[in-house]
Amino acid sequence: MDRREECRLTTLINPQNTDLKIGARAFQDKMKFFSDDFSADEILEANGLSESPAKTETLSFGEVFVETIKPPLDLLIFGAGFDALPLIKFAKELGWRVTAIDHRPAFANAERLTEADEII
């Protein structure tokens, strides 16, 4: 998520003839594969799944639930007046990355916009 790239979370929901247990998980992005439960070879089958946000698929070792996790949105706020403060707070609660842009130094400063990720 720090690289702001899409990733995939695979959870085993119905194991079939395997030592894996319900709830076994694998996390993968373009760079790495992380799992205490699956081997990379077991989960490679899931790489070609459709681009839908969430879907169940039957693989050789059982049925899995695959979630595509997209990075948080970037929100650009033009104007850092008083109305921008609750908008920044709300966006941060949603996990978004917020950039506030204002030409007025009295409004666009770190003391006023403490929750903004970037101030221009």
Side-chain angles (χ1 to χ4, degrees):
M1 297 313 277
D2 291 338
R3 289 192 308 272
R4 306 191 58 73
E5 295 176 355
E6 186 175 293
C7 54
R8 183 167 286 158
L9 179 64
T10 304
T11 306
L12 184 63
I13 57 175
N14 185 14
Q16 309 221 341
N17 301 326
T18 181
D19 293 333
L20 296 172
K21 295 180 181 173
I22 291 175
R25 288 192 155 172
F27 175 84
Q28 61 192 117
D29 62 16
K30 293 178 184 175
M31 305 287 289
K32 294 181 182 176
F33 173 86
F34 305 94
S35 179
D36 291 333
D37 304 311
F38 294 106
S39 72
D41 291 339
E42 286 174 316
I43 206 64
L44 281 175
E45 295 178 69
N47 281 340
L49 298 178
S50 71
E51 295 300 317
S52 63
K55 185 176 183 179
T56 58
E57 289 286 334
T58 302
L59 304 175
S60 62
F61 54 88
E63 189 174 8
V64 294
F65 180 70
V66 181
E67 302 170 80
T68 300
I69 301 170
K70 298 195 180 271
L73 295 176
D74 288 320
L75 178 64
L76 302 176
I77 300 175
F78 293 90
F82 294 104
D83 56 340
L85 299 176
L87 180 58
I88 292 170
K89 181 176 176 53
F90 182 64
K92 293 306 294 178
E93 287 175 2
L94 291 172
W96 296 0
R97 186 175 187 288
V98 178
T99 300
I101 304 164
D102 199 310
H103 70 285
R104 302 167 291 184
F107 286 90
N109 60 67
E111 294 79 33
R112 262 189 95 246
L113 306 173
T114 57
E115 294 188 66
D117 296 293
E118 185 177 3
I119 301 168
I120 299 172

